[in-house]
Amino acid sequence: MTSWSLLPLALALLCSSTHCSLDCDLTQGLQEDFSLLNQMSTFPLVSCLKDRTNFNFPKEALNGSQLQKENATVIVLEMVQQIFTLFSQNATPATWNQTQLMQLLFGLHRQLEQLERCLEQYVEWEESSLESENPRLALKSYFQGISQYLQGKEYSHCAWEIVRVEIRRVFLFMSKLARKLRA
């Protein structure tokens, strides 16, 4: 069998992975990104406890049991976009593992593309996204608070560590929401 005859099989195997899948299952990608986020820093968090703050995650506005599937997808898209923007800043700590940070950004970008493809499956997603406007505004306000916190702390290493822990909580919420989307 020549290598050209194996091409269709290779493409089929590649597209059966999460990279080409349109089944909108984000759980594996979110788990991979969560794992990278956990591994990026070896800094002892205990020395940053004085910098803790309550970012007031808007869980009431994001009650997953009341969200329609396409609206929940819009909300997850907003979260991933905000996290991507936050970690794309040049102010991230140099002590973080930069390879893992780049892998995280790549994974988030891949998630954004997949979410956009998922939304294209919903015929009326633009109309239904109006229903998710309040939760999206709550999310934007939440992430703006995180950005203001970082700026107020002059992007210190401890501030970034506190934010990294907070974003881990966001990933856990998104994973729970993604599992509900699969059901």
Side-chain angles (χ1 to χ4, degrees):
M1 189 178 269
T2 66
S3 60
W4 286 107
S5 61
L6 292 174
L7 185 61
L9 177 62
L11 286 173
L13 288 174
L14 178 65
C15 285
S16 67
S17 73
T18 58
H19 299 296
C20 293
S21 175
L22 288 178
D23 65 1
C24 300
D25 180 11
L26 305 171
T27 52
Q28 181 179 354
L30 289 173
Q31 288 171 353
E32 291 169 5
D33 293 343
F34 180 79
S35 178
L36 284 167
L37 189 61
N38 279 334
Q39 298 170 25
M40 282 185 345
S41 177
T42 57
F43 190 78
L45 189 59
V46 97
S47 62
C48 297
L49 293 178
K50 66 186 180 326
D51 291 314
R52 284 183 304 179
T53 190
N54 183 355
F55 292 107
N56 296 317
F57 183 75
K59 60 184 165 190
E60 295 82 26
L62 304 172
N63 186 349
S65 64
Q66 296 177 358
L67 293 174
Q68 294 178 357
K69 193 169 188 172
E70 58 272 14
N71 292 335
T73 305
V74 169
I75 288 168
V76 172
L77 174 70
E78 183 68 38
M79 289 177 167
V80 172
Q81 178 63 57
Q82 293 287 340
I83 294 169
F84 180 83
T85 300
L86 187 66
F87 284 104
S88 295
Q89 296 180 21
N90 290 332
T92 55
T95 55
W96 281 359
N97 183 311
Q98 296 301 302
T99 301
Q100 289 173 331
L101 177 60
M102 295 313 311
Q103 288 173 337
L104 174 66
L105 290 172
F106 179 75
L108 291 169
H109 180 70
R110 190 173 57 233
Q111 297 272 350
L112 287 171
E113 289 176 340
Q114 183 178 1
L115 284 161
E116 288 169 358
R117 285 192 308 266
C118 289
L119 284 174
E120 288 172 3
Q121 291 179 16
Y122 302 116
V123 177
E124 300 175 11
W125 82 270
E126 288 184 39
E127 292 174 19
S128 64
S129 69
L130 294 175
E131 296 172 17
S132 64
E133 200 55 37
N134 283 341
R136 288 179 70 197
L137 290 174
L139 277 173
K140 287 180 182 190
S141 176
Y142 166 74
F143 279 99
Q144 183 178 20
I146 291 174
S147 293
Q148 289 171 346
Y149 167 80
L150 284 169
Q151 187 177 19
K153 295 285 186 174
E154 297 177 350
Y155 302 95
S156 72
H157 187 78
C158 275
W160 272 110
E161 285 303 315
I162 297 299
V163 167
R164 188 176 66 84
V165 169
E166 180 70 11
I167 299 302
R168 286 172 38 193
R169 292 179 55 219
V170 175
F171 268 104
L172 292 173
F173 180 84
M174 283 191 301
S175 293
K176 192 183 312 182
L177 193 56
R179 281 192 297 276
K180 284 183 182 182
L181 289 173
R182 277 189 351 193

